[in-house]
Amino acid sequence: MKLFFSNIVTSFLNIVMPGRCLQCGRIVYGKSALCATCFSKIYFLARQGCPRCGRPYDLPEDEGMVCPVCLTKPPVFHTLRSAFIYNKFSRELILPFKHADRTDMTPFLGNLMYQAGHDMLEKADLIIAVPLHPRKLMKRKYNQAALLAHYLAKKARKRYLANTLQRIINTKTQGHDNAEQRKQNVKGAFYVKNPKQIAGKRIVMIDDVYTTGATLNECAKVLYKAGAQNVDCLTIARVRG
Ligand SMILES: [Zn+2]
Ligand SMILES: [Zn+2]
């Protein structure tokens, strides 16, 4: 009965205060959602692609086979999963969440990430976000990866560990750098404050976008050095690669 009334209240609220599509502003049913047109433009990645890095590629008969990139140069982390491909459309969807205070998008993006990575989240002991340098955090006011990590930890009923992995170098924004420049840029940028909290733990690292993997690989490197048993990564989006 209680549920029945709460459904009526929700329906009523949707009529008097309709939700808006997070991308185009069109009226939609429910809060924190996309309209059907915008939704259809997303290239979802759940359950396809390379079992290591999630790169979309047609798997041969043997489903356990990794992509050619991981075969020649396996990532430092164990597995990466992303909710969707980073392209022109998804870039516009993510940018306001990153830079324009659209923190209300956290549940929408977090739920899509949960769908893509619930297997790794279930096995995890700790959820950690890629940290921002304190100076950058002051400027931006919030760390978008930390919002998602906190949301996902709550949803998966796991421990969210803040402040243990720290960014000690305020690296420059990596916009147009190539893979090697990005790798050099983040080298030595991270530090584990209390390795005891990491030792023997299965960790899921959360970030917004995976491009060359330089940041997540560098984080995984220091976490493994601190004794982590396993480091997986979960992002909103990844480049097709
Ligand atoms: Zn829309
Ligand atoms: Zn791969």
Side-chain angles (χ1 to χ4, degrees), residues 50-55 66-71 75:
C50 169
R52 282 299 296 275
C53 73
R55 175 175 284 108
V66 298
C67 75
V69 182
C70 289
L71 262 184

Side-chain angles (χ1 to χ4, degrees), residues 21-26 28 34-39 89:
C21 169
L22 292 166
Q23 178 74 338
C24 72
R26 209 174 280 162
V28 288
L34 286 183
C35 71
T37 312
C38 291
F39 202 80
F89 177 81

Side-chain angles (χ1 to χ4, degrees), residues 2-121:
K2 205 173 161 192
L3 188 71
F4 176 72
F5 277 114
S6 90
N7 282 343
I8 288 182
V9 171
T10 310
S11 305
F12 177 72
L13 283 175
N14 276 324
I15 292 164
V16 292
M17 287 190 300
R20 295 271 174 186
C21 169
L22 292 166
Q23 178 74 338
C24 72
R26 209 174 280 162
I27 288 176
V28 288
Y29 183 82
K31 302 272 181 259
S32 205
L34 286 183
C35 71
T37 312
C38 291
F39 202 80
S40 69
K41 288 182 192 163
I42 297 180
Y43 184 123
F44 287 102
L45 280 170
R47 308 207 180 284
Q48 55 174 310
C50 169
R52 282 299 296 275
C53 73
R55 175 175 284 108
Y57 104 109
D58 292 329
L59 287 168
E61 301 254 310
D62 176 9
E63 283 215 357
M65 207 170 145
V66 298
C67 75
V69 182
C70 289
L71 262 184
T72 43
K73 205 169 179 291
V76 181
F77 54 77
H78 187 262
T79 305
L80 165 75
R81 286 290 168 263
S82 309
F84 47 79
I85 285 285
Y86 191 61
N87 53 22
K88 222 175 119 199
F89 177 81
S90 62
R91 184 175 174 270
E92 279 174 30
L93 182 69
I94 296 169
L95 272 182
F97 174 65
K98 255 180 112 158
H99 297 292
D101 294 340
R102 287 295 307 275
T103 53
D104 59 305
M105 292 174 79
T106 308
F108 171 72
L109 296 170
N111 288 340
L112 293 178
M113 287 170 82
Y114 183 81
Q115 278 173 32
H118 64 90
D119 293 356
M120 61 170 66
L121 288 165

Side-chain angles (χ1 to χ4, degrees), residues 164-200:
T164 296
L165 180 67
Q166 301 189 343
R167 201 166 193 134
I168 48 172
I169 301 174
N170 195 6
T171 50
K172 65 180 177 76
T173 308
Q174 309 188 91
H176 299 289
D177 289 356
N178 63 31
E180 192 49 41
Q181 286 167 323
R182 280 170 180 254
K183 202 174 157 191
Q184 289 307 318
N185 188 30
V186 292
K187 207 171 179 187
F190 300 97
Y191 163 77
V192 174
K193 195 179 154 197
N194 189 354
K196 265 193 207 154
Q197 289 181 298
I198 299 298

